[in-house]
Amino acid sequence: MKTGKIVKVSGPLVVAEGLEEANIYDVCKVGKNRLIGEIIEMRGDMASIQVYEETSGIGPGDPVETTGEPLSVELGPGLIESMFDGIQRPLNAYLLAAKSNYLKRGVEVPSLDRDKKWDFKPKVKVGDKVVSGSTLGVVQETPVIEHKIMVPYGIKGVVKEIKQGKHTIVETICVLDTDKGEVALTMMQKWPVRRGRPYERKLNPVEPMITGQRVIDTFFPVAKGGTAAVPGPFGAGKTVVQHQIAKWGDTQVVVYVGCGERGNEMTDVLNEFPELKDPKTGQSLMKRTVLIANTSNMPVAAREASIYTGITISEYFRDMGYSVAIMADSTSRWAEALREMSGRLEEMPGDEGYPAYLGSRLAEFYERAGKVVCLGGEGVEGAVTAIGAISPPGGDLSEPVTQSTLRIVKSFWGLDAQLAYRRHFPSINWMDSYSLYADKVGEWMDKEVASDWVTIRTEAMALLQEEATLQEIVRLVGIDALSERDRLKLEVSKSLREDYLQQNAFNEVDTYSSLTKQYKMLKLVLQFYHEGEKALEAGIYLKEILDIEVRDRIARSKYIPETDISKIDEISKELSSVIDNLISKGGVANA
Ligand code: ADP
Ligand code: MG
């Protein structure tokens, strides 16, 4: 521990002298209130410290004490169902709702409850050899999350003592004999947030994270362990997309980071998630969720830390073998915090005032996503899928945060103000979105869902792309210039857009589509196309094909509940027989 003196305070940035022995990223206690800060630059004995609490009232001459430790989070039972701020201080839900100042400055509150007792069930016995990542035992943290208590990184040895039963997270539950003598372990470990947690090896992400959102799963999937970005202007639906994935994504743990956005969005999460039931477990969504809130009215510096805090917690659950999804809304607000600190440090500004290291910092976040074989030698696999929202000013995708993110992430869901304006939701623009997982995920879909998944996906995509060309022709020379076949194509792509891509997050049934339902729905739209072509060839007028009543049923198929999914097959049969009828009669006009 070393004490220095403040020489300058500039908003959340404090410069202190007399700290020659301190290291970059050491945590400091700043001023008489002992506010929490982190050294972000060292020059000689001068440390620049970003302070995570309001700095009003502190000034030159006040003491600064370094702890000699990097900014770390506490990992152990009690994480799930909690809400923390950017540096993992527990936030009381009621305080957030009341928009009060949450925590008194400088108050030291432990991140995890020290008094609560958890029922520890050992998985090892005296004499067993264990290594970093080995499972010592488990705690049923919530009805759906079995929390593995693992040997912390860097420790291995032989179990000397193991204590079954109810303990707090600071009581010894295991003693190991190691090379360096006896080591007592508790149910809690600490990890520095800016360092990725180690794993045995990375795996190629090939399995989709199923979101139940048709446009994503069918056209722009994200793999479990993959990365995705959702850029879009204000009101385009970024938060709704993130919430939908948090609610419906087939992951076991969700870490939701509300970063610099309005506080009421976190309040929405707090109100909604406990009410919502996970379809697979029947339990409230909060039973598998960790919330990190650093909303727009909270100190800006902690926003910078919040995404590292979030991803560290995600990695920890990954290490237990869970599939975790982390949502960050919004990385633009995070980047603005970075820019503000960089400006106060008087660094050389890069593009639009963002620091030159914007891209590498973003990469440090997204690169911690992945599917891995965990430590511990038990062959356990876990995944972290990272999804970040971007709010480019004016929706301009050429700005630095979007561009830097594009170089890193593999799924890109571009939200479109025009589509949102026309109430086409989710407003993911199918012309400029992409997924580099589509090929691998396609192979998986062909095997797991239907052997012609990739075939119909490709055909539907081609139709949507052709629509743009056809619309251009219509705009220039009018609809009459198109053949009936092309006009049929236009009708089918319209149906793809309206009946398939559009999905109402707020409709009880439409909010989620299983892969089977997605397959049947898409197949149905394309069946209309193929049967329509057949009828045209047989000399039936386009108008007669378009007028068949069964088209209404196709349009409404999205509202068929999962339990009645066979109704889609009935519509398909009806469609075939109606068209066959038309053909055999030579059209209604000729009947
Ligand atoms: P952003 O976070 O991009 O500013 P929001 O996610 O808050 O935008 O979305 C703005 C509004 O758009 C929502 O309040 C909702 O009315 C509408 N919206 C967005 N996505 C959908 C959807 N999938 N279904 C229905 N409405 C949606
Ligand atoms: Mg939003």
Side-chain angles (χ1 to χ4, degrees), residues 232-241 265 415 423 425-426 503-506:
F234 179 76
K238 298 179 294 293
T239 302
V240 173
V241 167
E265 292 190 344
L415 302 189
R423 315 265 334 139
F425 288 119
Q503 186 169 1
N504 185 350
F506 305 106

Side-chain angles (χ1 to χ4, degrees), residues 221-287:
V222 60
K224 282 194 179 118
T227 49
V230 205
F234 179 76
K238 298 179 294 293
T239 302
V240 173
V241 167
Q242 299 258 39
H243 284 197
Q244 284 298 93
I245 295 176
K247 289 175 196 166
W248 301 112
D250 71 331
T251 53
Q252 294 152 305
V253 176
V254 169
V255 177
Y256 198 95
V257 187
C259 186
E261 294 288 306
R262 286 162 293 144
N264 59 349
E265 292 190 344
M266 283 319 272
T267 321
D268 285 351
V269 173
L270 278 175
N271 291 337
E272 258 184 53
F273 279 30
E275 304 281 313
L276 283 165
K277 288 213 163 49
D278 180 347
K280 280 165 305 219
T281 62
Q283 290 283 336
S284 146
L285 283 184
M286 278 313 287
K287 302 287 175 201

Side-chain angles (χ1 to χ4, degrees), residues 130-182:
V130 292
V131 296
S132 303
S134 296
T135 312
L136 291 173
V138 295
V139 160
Q140 197 68 45
E141 183 170 3
T142 70
V144 290
I145 298 297
E146 189 183 68
H147 195 118
K148 266 193 198 175
I149 309 298
M150 299 168 287
V151 177
Y153 184 63
I155 297 177
K156 63 174 185 196
V158 177
V159 178
K160 188 170 180 230
E161 255 180 74
I162 185 92
K163 294 177 183 165
Q164 174 160 7
K166 297 202 166 175
H167 302 281
T168 70
I169 54 167
V170 285
E171 286 167 5
T172 299
I173 45 100
C174 176
V175 178
L176 294 185
D177 264 331
T178 75
D179 298 351
K180 298 168 200 112
E182 273 183 18

Side-chain angles (χ1 to χ4, degrees), residues 375-418:
L375 292 180
E378 295 163 14
V380 173
E381 292 178 10
V384 172
T385 310
I387 299 155
I390 312 173
S391 359
D396 168 19
L397 299 186
S398 68
E399 59 87 42
V401 182
T402 313
Q403 286 302 311
S404 307
T405 308
L406 270 179
R407 282 182 214 117
I408 308 163
V409 300
K410 297 210 164 105
S411 289
F412 183 81
W413 306 323
L415 302 189
D416 186 309
Q418 285 297 321

